[in-house]
Amino acid sequence: MRIVGLTGGIASGKSTVSNLFKTHGIPVVDADLVARDVLKKGTGGWKKVVSAFGEDILQPDGEVDRPKLGQIVFSNPEKRQILNRLLAPYISSGIFWEMLKLWMKGFKVIVLDVPLLFEAKMDKWTKPIIVVWVDPETQLQRLMLRDRTSEDDAQNRINAQMSLDLKRTRADIVIDNTGSLEDLKEQFQNVLFEVTKPLTWTEFGLSRQGAASVLVSIIVGVLIFRKVYNTESL
Ligand SMILES: CC(C)(COP(=O)(O)OP(=O)(O)OC[C@H]1O[C@@H](n2cnc3c(N)ncnc32)[C@H](O)[C@@H]1O)[C@@H](O)C(=O)NCCC(=O)NCCS
Ligand SMILES: Nc1ncnc2c1ncn2[C@@H]1O[C@H](COP(=O)(O)OP(=O)(O)OP(=O)(O)O)[C@@H](O)[C@H]1O
């Protein structure tokens, strides 16, 4: 199985690119969705976070008040680190299960959309790595427009991540999403071509079909060996 890493900065356009993958039949594991699930009321992640940050971060219905927790952690690196440390194990196992489900369904190429792919050191599991880059001013404007936040709040969120310029140096493929959606779709055609190239032997071995072939080969090998061995010992 080919595990493609998709990352970038906040509001750089990862979800927009993810949607293009999905419309071309390539499934996407969205780490933000997994992170939402592991913070739902009553889950292990929720319990840890409530005991670390207190009940003040809860809404009246007991769910985490996400904008409130966001304001706390995006303006305070120590608190952000605490939140990351508490949720990381739940997020990684959530991503693993989502991948396993796709593996069992027989998908040969899947995309992991993980905003903190490099920060969480998950880049070593993915190849190729796609970074959706955007120029800093456009990123700020798109973030403020999408989330209806102040400039300070948006800038805090951008500063909470590794710089996009550094991320692009670690990419196999860079998508420059500073232009229009039409520009993005045009670049996406080349990305799709790269990502859907025939699998390498290692990638094939990691796919469900590859694992099945290895298993069948082992069984056939053992049967032949036993037949030859039995014939010789007669
Ligand atoms: C702080 C929380 C509650 C704020 O929720 P909110 O709904 O406002 O934002 P949302 O989850 O949609 O995230 C929006 C974007 O913020 C960025 N972001 C989220 N968490 C972090 C973080 N810990 N550090 C840096 N950037 C982050 C990502 O680019 C993400 O795409 C939430 O982001 C959270 O639980 N974060 C910790 C979990 C995490 O690390 N998520 C990223 C998945 S790898
Ligand atoms: N090329 C583009 N032109 C104009 N707007 C765009 C373009 N690409 C994305 N956008 C808009 O910019 C905003 C951010 O894009 P998107 O939500 O895809 O970013 P993201 O990287 O997934 O963000 P996050 O890290 O918060 O999940 C959205 O409102 C989206 O519609």
Side-chain angles (χ1 to χ4, degrees):
M1 183 160 77
R2 175 170 296 153
I3 307 169
V4 178
L6 176 66
T7 191
I10 185 164
S12 73
K14 297 176 299 297
S15 308
T16 311
V17 173
S18 282
N19 288 335
L20 293 174
F21 275 117
K22 286 186 222 159
T23 56
H24 287 82
I26 299 179
V28 178
V29 175
D30 182 334
D32 279 341
L33 290 185
V34 173
R36 263 162 210 264
D37 279 346
V38 304
L39 202 50
K40 285 210 172 119
K41 184 180 170 185
T43 59
W46 179 89
K47 285 178 191 152
K48 288 252 164 79
V49 169
V50 175
S51 62
F53 288 85
E55 294 196 357
D56 280 358
I57 58 148
L58 295 180
Q59 299 173 166
D61 65 1
E63 292 289 352
V64 168
D65 184 336
R66 300 178 64 86
K68 194 169 186 178
L69 182 57
Q71 288 213 325
I72 297 171
V73 299
F74 290 119
S75 58
N76 184 324
E78 284 84 38
K79 295 203 168 150
R80 190 166 62 247
Q81 257 186 18
I82 294 173
L83 180 68
N84 288 351
R85 219 180 32 243
L86 292 175
L87 291 183
Y90 297 100
I91 296 176
S92 354
S93 52
I95 291 177
F96 175 79
W97 282 112
E98 292 300 319
M99 284 169 57
L100 190 65
K101 283 190 236 163
L102 296 173
W103 184 87
M104 288 197 292
K105 286 184 185 161
F107 284 103
K108 293 198 183 94
V109 178
I110 68 164
V111 173
L112 293 193
D113 173 354
V114 186
L116 307 180
L117 188 83
F118 295 116
E119 292 92 329
K121 300 192 170 39
M122 287 174 70
D123 51 316
K124 54 178 177 276
W125 305 112
T126 62
K127 185 86 188 167
I129 295 171
I130 303 170
V131 168
V132 186
W133 184 89
V134 71
D135 83 54
E137 189 48 39
T138 310
Q139 183 183 20
L140 183 66
Q141 294 306 327
R142 285 186 187 157
L143 179 54
M144 286 164 58
L145 191 69
R146 189 195 62 185
D147 292 358
R148 295 167 204 277
T149 52
S150 67
E151 187 170 337
D152 276 354
D153 191 40
Q155 196 60 59
N156 275 342
R157 288 189 178 229
I158 292 172
N159 295 344
Q161 301 184 340
M162 184 190 283
S163 93
L164 262 177
D165 283 338
L166 180 56
K167 285 186 181 179
R168 77 178 289 167
T169 65
R170 297 175 60 178
D172 299 304
I173 301 171
V174 177
I175 298 178
D176 181 349
N177 188 27
T178 308
S180 66
L181 285 172
E182 282 316 306
D183 282 344
L184 177 67
K185 284 182 189 158
E186 216 173 291
Q187 293 178 65
F188 182 76
Q189 289 311 316
N190 295 333
V191 175
L192 191 63
F193 176 76
E194 287 298 321
V195 160
T196 52
K197 275 183 175 167
L199 299 192
T200 63
W201 281 108
T202 315
E203 289 168 337
F204 177 70
L206 288 172
S207 68
R208 194 191 68 184
Q209 295 80 352
S213 315
V214 171
L215 195 66
V216 169
S217 311
I218 292 172
I219 293 169
V220 170
V222 169
L223 290 177
I224 292 174
F225 176 79
R226 284 177 59 178
K227 196 165 171 63
V228 170
Y229 182 77
N230 286 342
T231 315
E232 277 176 1
S233 58
L234 280 177

